[in-house]
Amino acid sequence: MTLYFKNNIPFVEGVSLNDLTNTVETPFYIYSQKKIIDSYEYIKKTLNTNIYYALKANSNQAIVSLLKSLGAGADAVSVGEIMRALEAGVNPNKIIFEGVGKSKNDIEFALHQKIKQINVESVEELKLINNIAGSLKVIANIGIRLNPDIDALTLDKISTGRKKDKFGISFDKINTICSLIPNYQNLNIKGISCHIGSQINDSSIYEKVFLKMKKASEIME
């Protein structure tokens, strides 16, 4: 356990928080390196795949650097987050650029850095990235973020996978994507993804998502 109490005094990794407040000016944030390492290693072992840390969760440079040292890539939603990942030593080919409302300059920056891929949020963004990549004479690796129209039964403000939410490309536009891609010579599709929200308490919702994404992959083959 990384956080525990001894004689009503809180300790983190064996260090008394009372002692810390006597040596470090308050207020301050404290993070457990052991907890981060243990959590990462558990997820890595369980999923047996590459892990990409979302900087929007916490872009503290020490944490990003720690996760990079463990082998994690970075999931960024802004140029600023891409820069923080690069400054932490994350290899560009392990950085994914997400997010709605990417500007022309944002996309150009990502392509200049030769990051792993840009995840596309709309049909219009496909054309924009293709045109920018063409002007730079590069091939842009992209992922397609789909909106599965599945209610995560979580807080309304953090739900991102319903049709009425602003995130991702609707399933009814998959055929449109398939018809457009052959005309976009500067794009290379690397995969599909979705996000339905957080604080999800019903595991059956994940099954619905997996089945719907499986169907999408079959359509797009």
Side-chain angles (χ1 to χ4, degrees), residues 55 59-62 64 79-90:
L55 269 73
S59 61
N60 181 294
Q61 202 69 3
V64 180
V79 165
E81 288 188 357
I82 293 176
M83 292 175 66
R84 291 187 72 82
L86 292 171
E87 289 168 3
V90 179

Side-chain angles (χ1 to χ4, degrees), residues 22-106:
N22 291 327
T23 57
V24 180
E25 184 178 355
T26 60
F28 60 83
Y29 289 97
I30 181 170
Y31 305 102
S32 169
Q33 176 173 292
K34 183 179 186 305
K35 181 63 175 178
I36 293 172
I37 293 174
D38 289 348
S39 297
Y40 175 84
E41 291 181 344
Y42 175 78
I43 295 172
K44 180 71 176 178
K45 181 180 179 180
T46 302
L47 298 179
N48 191 30
T49 190
N50 294 325
I51 306 297
Y52 293 83
Y53 173 67
L55 269 73
K56 67 180 178 181
N58 189 329
S59 61
N60 181 294
Q61 202 69 3
I63 292 177
V64 180
S65 297
L66 172 60
L67 286 163
K68 176 265 176 185
S69 73
L70 296 173
D75 180 287
V77 294
S78 68
V79 165
E81 288 188 357
I82 293 176
M83 292 175 66
R84 291 187 72 82
L86 292 171
E87 289 168 3
V90 179
N91 193 307
N93 66 17
K94 297 186 73 173
I95 297 176
I96 297 174
F97 188 20
E98 312 262 9
V100 297
K102 305 181 195 73
S103 70
K104 179 176 180 290
N105 289 339
D106 294 341

Side-chain angles (χ1 to χ4, degrees), residues 145-155 158-162 165 194-198 200 202 205-209 213:
R145 177 175 176 176
L146 296 172
N147 183 317
D149 191 23
I150 292 177
D151 191 342
L153 302 179
T154 184
L155 298 175
I158 59 174
S159 183
T160 59
R162 300 168 301 184
D165 296 323
C194 75
H195 188 284
I196 62 171
S198 55
I200 300 169
D202 185 349
I205 294 173
Y206 291 109
E207 182 179 7
K208 293 179 182 178
V209 173
M213 293 300 287

Side-chain angles (χ1 to χ4, degrees), residues 104-214:
K104 179 176 180 290
N105 289 339
D106 294 341
I107 295 168
E108 286 181 346
F109 178 84
L111 292 175
H112 278 303
Q113 299 302 318
K114 300 180 181 179
I115 66 170
K116 178 180 176 64
Q117 71 185 54
I118 301 173
N119 281 353
V120 179
E121 295 268 354
S122 67
V123 173
E124 293 76 17
E125 192 178 11
L126 280 172
K127 181 178 179 180
L128 176 62
I129 296 175
N130 180 70
N131 290 343
I132 295 172
S135 69
L136 297 176
K137 295 181 171 55
V138 299
I139 300 297
N141 291 327
I142 63 167
I144 304 295
R145 177 175 176 176
L146 296 172
N147 183 317
D149 191 23
I150 292 177
D151 191 342
L153 302 179
T154 184
L155 298 175
D156 186 65
K157 298 297 184 181
I158 59 174
S159 183
T160 59
R162 300 168 301 184
K163 192 169 185 177
K164 68 178 183 178
D165 296 323
K166 65 182 179 179
F167 305 98
I169 300 173
S170 174
F171 260 61
D172 58 18
K173 293 184 179 180
I174 290 178
N175 288 330
T176 299
I177 295 171
C178 292
S179 65
L180 288 173
I181 289 298
N183 300 318
Y184 293 157
Q185 301 301 311
N186 304 300
L187 302 181
N188 177 32
I189 294 185
K190 303 290 287 185
I192 58 176
S193 67
C194 75
H195 188 284
I196 62 171
S198 55
Q199 299 184 27
I200 300 169
N201 298 312
D202 185 349
S203 60
S204 68
I205 294 173
Y206 291 109
E207 182 179 7
K208 293 179 182 178
V209 173
F210 293 147
L211 290 174
K212 198 151 190 181
M213 293 300 287
K214 182 176 182 292

